[in-house]
Amino acid sequence: MSVPGRDYLEVRGIRVEFDGFVAVDGVDLTLLQGQVHFLIGPNGAGKTTLVDALTGLVRATGLASYDNQNLLDRPSHAIVRLGIGRTFQTATVFEELTVLQNLDIAGGVHRRARSLLRRRRGVPERVHETLATIGLTEQADRPAGVLSHGQKQWLEIGMLLVQDARVMLLDEPVAGMSAEERRETGELLHRIGQERTIVVIEHDMDFVRDFADVVTVMSAGRVLAHGTVEEIRADPEVQRVYLGHTVEGVA
Amino acid sequence: MSRRTTLLTALGWLALAAALLGLAPALLSDFRLGLLAKYCCYAIAAVGIGLAWGRGGMLVLGQGLYFGLGGYAMAMHLKLTDAGPGQVPDFMVLYAGGEMPVWWEPFRSPVVTLLAILLLPVLVATVLGAAIFKRRVKGAYFAILSQALTAAFAILLIGQVKTTGGFNGLNNFQSFFGYSLYDPVNKRMLYFLAAGVLLASVALMAQLHRSRFGELLVATRDAEERVRFLGHDPANVKLVAYVLAAVLASVGGALFVPVVGIISPEDVGVGASIALVAGVALGGRASLFGPALGALLVGYAETSLSESFPGSWSYFQGGLFVVVVLLLPGGLAQALSALASVRHRVGGPPGGRRRRERPASDRTRPGPTTPQEVTA
Amino acid sequence: MEVFVSQVFTGLSAGAVLLLIAVGLTLTFGQMGVINMAHGEFLMAGAYTAYVVNLVVGDAGLGLLVALPVGFLVGGLLGVVLEASVIRWMYHRPLDTLLVTYGVGLVLQQVARDVFGAPAKDVPSPSWLSGSVPVLGYDFPMARLFLLLLSVACLLAVLALLRRTALGRQVRATVENRDLAETVGISTRRTDRITFFLGSGLAGIAGVALTLLGSTGPTIGASYIVEAFLVVVVGGIGQLKGTVIAAFSIGVLQAFLEYATSGSIAKVVVFLAIVVFLQVRPQGIFAVRTRSLA
Ligand SMILES: Nc1ncnc2c1ncn2[C@@H]1O[C@H](COP(=O)(O)OP(=O)(O)OP(=O)(O)O)[C@@H](O)[C@H]1O
Ligand SMILES: [Mg+2]
C-alpha cells in the first residue's frame, strides 16, 4: 500500500505539560520510512513522554500525523490500528501465554469479530515467519514468562511485526542485553526497518553509533540536534549537554 | 489448547451431563430434586461469574441485579397469567387497590417476557458496563460499584410495595406457561430445564475459553494496558464478558422463579450476590467446571447446614471465603490439578515438572501495590 | 427556606455519620489499599461495646465517655488480629482481600447474633445529649451535633497523624513504595499493623457513636459499609479532603432527594449519581496522578 520512502511520521510542535511542568516542549520531527531513527538524551529529557504522546498515553498539544491521519486525541488502540506500535521501557509480554500465543494474539487486530469466537486452528503464516525472524522458533511453545530478558524484548518486537506495525516506537529495547544480543537486535532492526519507520530510544552510545541512520538528541523536552551520528558528535551543543554525563562516546 | 485437553473437557462435560440428567433424577426424591434445580439456577449465574471474574478479572459483586431482572420479569409474567386476561395480580388488589402500572402490561405476553429475560440484562449491562469500563473504572472501584448497584436495586424493590410486592417479593405462583406448578411431573420437567440450561452454558463457556476471544479476555485480565497496544479496546473485551455474565445471571434468575416459587429483594441483594461468588471461588474461578460445581456444592451445603444447625451457615460461608480465597485462590480446581501434577511428577520423567500456578486473579504488572494500583 | 435549612442540616448529620465511618476507611483502604469489608463489623463491635459498657457502668453519660476509648481499643484490636492473621498475606491481591474480609464479617455477625441475640439492643443516651440546639431556626438534635463534632475531631486527628508525625511519614512512605521504604529502614510490617489498628479503632468509635442514633443489631455495620466505601471512592482514594466533601455532599443530596421523593428512590438516585459522577472523574474528586503503566 505504501511507496517506499513516502510514508512518514510528522511531528510538529508537540508539547506535553504535567501540572505546570513541561516535559516535552515543542518538538518537531519528521521520521521517514526505511530508516532506523535513534532518540537519545539524558534521563528525564522527555523521550518516553514524547512516545507516550504519540501513542495516546498522555495528552499533548501540537500536531502529529501519519498517513494523513491525526494521531493526537485518538485513543491508544485506535492509534495502534493506524499502524503505529510501541514497546515499553520494561518488557511487557503475556507471561502466562506461550510465545506462539503471544504472537497470535497480537495478530488479532486484523481479525473479524466472528473469527474471535472460534478456536485457533494451526499457526498463521505471519506468525511462523515472525518466529523465525526474531529467532524464537524453538521457544514457540514455552510460556513467555520463562524467556530471558532479551528474548522477551525480541518477542515484543515480534508482536509488533505480527501486528504489522508500520511505525515502531521502541523504548530502550536493548537495555539489559549482552553485547552479542545487542548486535543481533541491531541487525534485526535493520532487516525489518526496510519497509517501516523505526524509532529507538537508547542510552548506549556504542549501540547508537553502530546502528543509527539518523539520531535526534533531546534535552529538557526540546530537540537539541538532529542528524547523522557524525553530525551529532560534532555538535557543540550536544557536547555541552552531555558534559558531566557519563555517556561514553559522545564527547 | 491441545487435543488432550479438548478430549478431557468433552469427557468432563459428558460426566456432568450423566450425573445431572441421569443419576440425580434416578436417585433423588422429588423434594431433593427440586432443591438441586434451585442450585442449578445459582450455578447458571455462577458460570457467568466465572467468565467475568475468573477469566476477565472483574469481581462482579452485583450479579443479583441481573438475577433479579430475569427473576422479576418471569415472576411478573407468572403473576399475570395466574390472574388471567385483563385481571390484576392478587397482591396489587391488596396493596394498590387493584391498580396496575402500565409497564407491567407487556409481561402478559410470554414472548415479550422471554425476550425481556434475555434483552433486559443486555441493555442494562451494556449501558452500565460501557459507562464503567470506558472510563477505566476497574479493580476495587468496579467491585464496590457493582455491589452498590445491586444494593440500590434491592432498596428500590423494597420501597415499591405496590408494584414489586416490596419486601415479600412476588410469590405464590400457580402455573408455568400453562403447566401447573403443583404437579410433581411438571416440577421434574423444570429440573430438567434448569439442568439442561446449566449444561448448555457450561458448553458455551468451553467454546469461549478456547476461542481467541477467551485468550484475549485472559490477556486483558492480566495486562489490560498491554492489550490496548495490540489495537483492542479492553473496555469492549470486558464488556462482552460482562454482558454475557449478566445474561446468564438473568436466565438463572428467571428459572429460579418457577423452581423456588418466590423472588424477593433478599434473593437479589448484596448478600445473595456475594453468595453466588462464594461457589465460584470454591470451585475455581478461572476453571471451566469449577464455578458450576462450586455453586452446586455451596447450595447443597447451605441447605444441609441450615437444616441441621441453624446459624452455622454463616460461619461456614464466612469460613469458606477466608480459607478458600486465602489459601486456595484457584479453588478446588487448583487443588485437583496440584494433585494431578504430584502424581504426574512421581510417575513421570524427572524434570517434567509443571510450573506452579499463580493465583488466578489480580495478576497485574509487577511492582509495589499502591492505592493507585487498586484502581488501576 | 425553612425546609431548605432543615434538609441541609439533616444532610449534614447524615454526612457526618458517613464521614465517621469513612475516616477509618481512608486509612485502611485509602492509604493501604486494603478493602476491608469487615470494617462494618468492627463498627458493630464498637456499638456492642457501648451496650456492654453501659450495662457495666450503669450510667448513660459516663458509659458513653468510657465506651468511646474502649470501643476504639476493641475495634483496633480486632483490626490488628485481622491484619496479622489474614491481610498481611494478601497485600498483593487487593481484590481478594475484599472477599476474605467479607467472610470474616459474616462470621463476626453470627458471633454477635449468638452472643447478644438477633433482636436489636438499645443503649440509653446520656441526658446531656437529649435536647436540641436551635441553629438558623432549625432544631439541631444534640446527638447529631455530637456526632458531627466527633467525626470532625477524628478527621483532624487522622490528618495531624499523617501530616505531622513520624508514623504518618512512614505510612506515606510505605504507601509510595513498599520496597524502598523497607530499604531505608522503615518496618513496613509495623507500619501496616499500626495503620490498621488506627483505622479499625475509628470504626469502633463510629460504632459507639451510632448507638446514639438508634438501636444496635448484628447487621448495623453491613448496612453502612457499601455507602461508606462509595464515599471513599467518590472522594478519591487516599484523599481526606475528598472524603469530607464526598460524605457531606452525598448526605445532603440524599436528604433533599428524600424530601422530594421517597427514601428508597433517593438512595437509588444517589447511587446512580455516583456512577455518573465517576464518568466525569473516574479517580474521584481529588485524583492522585501518577505515571503508571507498563
Ligand atoms: N505523569 C507524569 N507526571 C509528572 N511528570 C512526569 C510524568 N511523566 C513524566 N514526567 C516527567 O517528565 C520528564 C520526562 O520524562 P521521560 O520519562 O519522558 O524522560 P526520558 O527521556 O524517557 O528519561 P529516561 O531516559 O530516564 O527514560 C521527567 O522529568 C519526568 O519526571
Ligand atoms: Mg524513558
Side-chain angles (χ1 to χ4, degrees), chain B residues 53 61 131 135 140-141 147 152 155-156 159 225 274 285 311 314-315 317-318 321 325-326 329 361-362 369-371, chain C residues 30 35 37 90-91 93 95-96 98-100 102-103 106 110-111 114 175 237 264 267-268 271 279-280 282 288 293:
Chain B
W53 178 39
L61 290 181
R135 295 300 287 163
Y141 276 41
Q147 192 174 41
I155 292 169
L156 186 67
E225 291 306 319
I274 282 205
R285 56 183 93 159
S314 291
Y315 289 120
Q317 197 191 2
F321 271 122
V325 178
L326 182 63
S361 86
D362 303 336
T369 303
T370 63
Chain C
I35 307 139
M37 295 296 279
M90 307 194 68
Y91 282 114
R93 298 196 267 147
L95 269 188
D96 281 7
L98 192 159
L99 293 176
V100 171
Y102 179 81
L106 276 183
Q110 191 58 34
V111 169
D114 288 347
V175 166
I237 234 164
S264 65
K267 271 230 157 61
V268 175
F271 282 139
Q279 287 297 294
V280 191
V288 198
L293 181 108

Side-chain angles (χ1 to χ4, degrees), chain B residues 142-186:
Chain B
F142 171 79
I144 291 170
L145 218 55
S146 69
Q147 192 174 41
L149 284 167
T150 206
F153 182 54
I155 292 169
L156 186 67
L157 289 172
I158 294 175
Q160 309 300 306
V161 189
K162 291 178 187 168
T163 50
T164 65
F167 189 77
N168 296 323
L170 302 175
N171 50 31
N172 200 13
F173 311 112
Q174 315 294 321
S175 66
F176 177 67
F177 293 94
Y179 296 95
S180 162
L181 283 172
Y182 295 104
D183 186 342
V185 176
N186 292 343

